Amino acid sequence: MQFQLSEEQLMIQQAARDFAQQELKPGVIERDEHQKFPVEQVRKLGELGFLGMMVSEEFGGSGLDAVSYVLVMEELSKIDASASVVVSVNNSLVCYGLEAFGSAEQKEKYLKPLASGEIIGAFCLSEPEAGSDATSQHTTAEDKGDYYLLNGTKNWITNGSTASVYLVIAQTDPSLKHRGINAFIVEKGMEGFTIGPKENKMGIRGSDTHSLMFNDVKVPKENRIGENGFGFKFAMKTLEGGRIGIAAQALGIAAGAYELALAYAQERKSFGKPISDHQAIAFKLADMATKIEAARMLVYKAAWLKDQGQSYTLAGSMAKLYASKVAMEVTVEAVQVHGGYGFVKEYHVERLMRDAKITQIYEGTSEIQQMVISREILD
């Protein structure tokens, strides 16, 4: 494994860093305060090719590797996790799922505008009673011959009202259990498809999170992804890559908080010298830096394995489990380093602390990652 980034990867990293500082940072506190979706910023992310980074160029993507993708996710997340989660969902879940498993017609119709950033997508798995349990889908898709009749509710959907294309997991044949699950492409505006109110969240408040309701929505047969009964495998394969994106987001949140704490500690003085000269603070910073670097290695390794075409199930789950834990620990310490100022919104660290918590929840909680890891190491 190469520990040195290529010139192209360094350029992509710098481009993401510049974008985060110049485009995301101005107004990020206001967007968080008022739960404003970063419409203009997401449009520019699409123009930069960040919304379809790993999609091949023939389908409108940038054709880049997974390591480049996590570099971008890390830099964006240092400043605004509400914007980076749009990049994560569109790349890891929506575009990946369509390119890997969609038909030629589906790729032409849906993947191209998604990869180019013309539109954004949403991945719809979680439900009120099932959470992210793909085996327990209460949303149903009744086979009516040349179309499916979709009924049910999906919860906690990122890009819920701003997406144009939705990948929906639903149960077609309950008697077959997980083998009777399918994945469908649903378009905004289909009759019977309604979007609930925006969730008032603790963190990633600029992210567009809604419940979706499907009431006798007619989904054309050609909008089913893969063979009949492929939905469960589709969800599992797609979520596997999604963990890398969330791990990179957690890493970025932690790194952003650390950078702010380090700068503050070197500027803030007490007892006649910078607080970074006091061991109590210096040791905190040392622990934060070490944890972040360990998380970075796990995240980069998972992305590298994906690029090599090797199994990354274990690495991806380890990266998400550890990076999300580090995100919480580091952001809490960053607030502590800032003291009373850490409790004030203009210093950013309290927002990063609130944003960090979601990385332990979505795309599978820490306990789910522990289950995946234990299964892999004990198999």
Side-chain angles (χ1 to χ4, degrees):
M1 180 179 179
Q2 272 284 358
F3 285 91
Q4 187 171 352
L5 299 175
S6 68
E7 286 189 19
E8 182 182 31
Q9 289 168 336
L10 288 170
M11 288 176 59
I12 292 167
Q13 183 184 50
Q14 186 62 51
R17 184 178 298 139
D18 291 343
F19 181 88
Q21 290 292 330
Q22 297 166 16
E23 301 289 344
L24 292 180
K25 192 171 183 178
V28 65
I29 294 174
E30 180 190 3
R31 292 195 300 274
D32 174 78
E33 183 78 16
H34 300 289
Q35 302 190 80
K36 291 173 61 177
F37 184 80
V39 177
E40 186 63 21
Q41 290 79 8
V42 169
R43 183 187 65 78
K44 291 179 179 179
L45 285 167
E47 292 174 354
L48 285 170
F50 288 164
L51 294 181
M53 292 189 66
M54 296 176 287
V55 177
S56 58
E57 293 180 3
E58 68 174 302
F59 296 118
S62 302
L64 297 171
D65 58 5
V67 171
S68 296
Y69 164 62
V70 301
L71 292 172
V72 169
M73 281 296 299
E74 180 181 350
E75 292 302 325
L76 299 179
S77 301
K78 287 179 181 180
I79 304 299
D80 189 359
S82 293
S84 70
V85 74
V86 179
V87 176
S88 175
V89 168
N90 213 66
N91 275 286
S92 296
L93 301 179
V94 181
C95 285
Y96 169 77
L98 286 173
E99 183 169 27
F101 306 109
S103 67
E105 293 77 14
Q106 290 168 350
K107 291 175 185 179
E108 182 67 29
K109 184 176 181 180
Y110 299 110
L111 181 57
K112 282 188 173 181
L114 285 163
S116 66
E118 181 183 335
I119 60 174
I120 60 175
F123 186 81
C124 309
L125 173 65
S126 296
E127 295 188 347
E129 295 181 20
S132 296
D133 180 6
T135 64
S136 180
Q137 294 297 298
H138 294 276
T139 298
T140 61
E142 188 179 355
D143 191 341
K144 292 292 187 179
D146 58 348
Y147 66 89
Y148 287 90
L149 205 58
L150 191 64
N151 283 280
T153 300
K154 294 294 182 179
N155 269 21
W156 316 115
I157 305 305
T158 300
N159 302 337
S161 72
T162 47
S164 299
V165 173
Y166 301 77
L167 306 188
V168 182
I169 311 300
Q171 179 64 259
T172 298
D173 189 345
S175 68
L176 295 176
K177 298 182 180 179
H178 70 279
R179 293 183 177 86
I181 293 173
N182 279 304
F184 302 94
I185 303 170
V186 177
E187 298 177 26
K188 178 183 281 185
M190 284 184 169
E191 188 176 353
F193 174 26
T194 57
I195 299 167
K198 187 173 185 175
E199 300 289 353
N200 188 2
K201 307 185 300 293
M202 176 178 78
I204 57 166
R205 289 171 56 79
S207 174
D208 189 29
T209 309
H210 294 256
S211 292
L212 309 178
M213 283 72 73
F214 305 95
N215 183 20
D216 286 344
V217 178
K218 289 184 178 181
V219 182
K221 209 61 167 286
E222 59 266 26
N223 281 30
R224 187 187 70 204
I225 300 174
E227 297 297 319
N228 187 33
F230 181 66
F232 176 76
K233 287 185 178 179
F234 172 82
M236 292 299 98
K237 289 290 185 181
T238 305
L239 289 174
E240 201 169 73
R243 293 182 190 121
I244 296 176
I246 299 310
Q249 184 185 45
L251 169 64
I253 292 171
Y258 165 73
E259 290 176 7
L260 290 169
L262 178 63
Y264 180 83
Q266 292 172 322
E267 295 170 2
R268 175 72 169 172
K269 291 185 178 181
S270 70
F271 300 101
K273 58 183 179 180
I275 63 172
S276 59
D277 288 353
H278 298 290
Q279 273 194 353
I281 301 299
F283 285 6
K284 280 184 186 292
L285 293 170
D287 283 345
M288 292 160 73
T290 302
K291 290 175 181 179
I292 289 168
E293 192 61 22
R296 184 174 285 121
M297 290 298 98
L298 284 170
V299 174
Y300 286 14
K301 180 184 178 182
W304 180 83
L305 287 171
K306 188 174 188 290
D307 287 333
Q308 303 307 307
Q310 298 182 35
S311 173
Y312 56 91
T313 302
L314 179 61
S317 287
M318 283 183 168
K320 184 189 179 299
L321 175 67
Y322 187 70
S324 61
K325 179 181 178 181
V326 167
M328 277 308 308
E329 292 175 350
V330 167
T331 53
V332 168
E333 288 287 54
V335 171
Q336 197 70 23
V337 168
H338 280 76
Y341 291 106
F343 220 60
V344 179
K345 290 183 181 296
E346 68 180 281
Y347 284 80
H348 295 282
V349 286
E350 64 84 29
R351 172 175 51 82
L352 290 170
M353 184 181 73
R354 289 186 284 108
D355 288 349
K357 187 59 190 175
I358 193 62
T359 66
Q360 294 182 307
I361 297 173
Y362 54 21
E363 306 303 338
T365 62
S366 297
E367 290 76 16
I368 290 177
Q369 302 316 312
Q370 290 171 323
M371 181 178 68
V372 173
I373 294 167
S374 62
R375 184 179 63 210
E376 288 291 315
I377 64 177
L378 296 172
D379 190 9

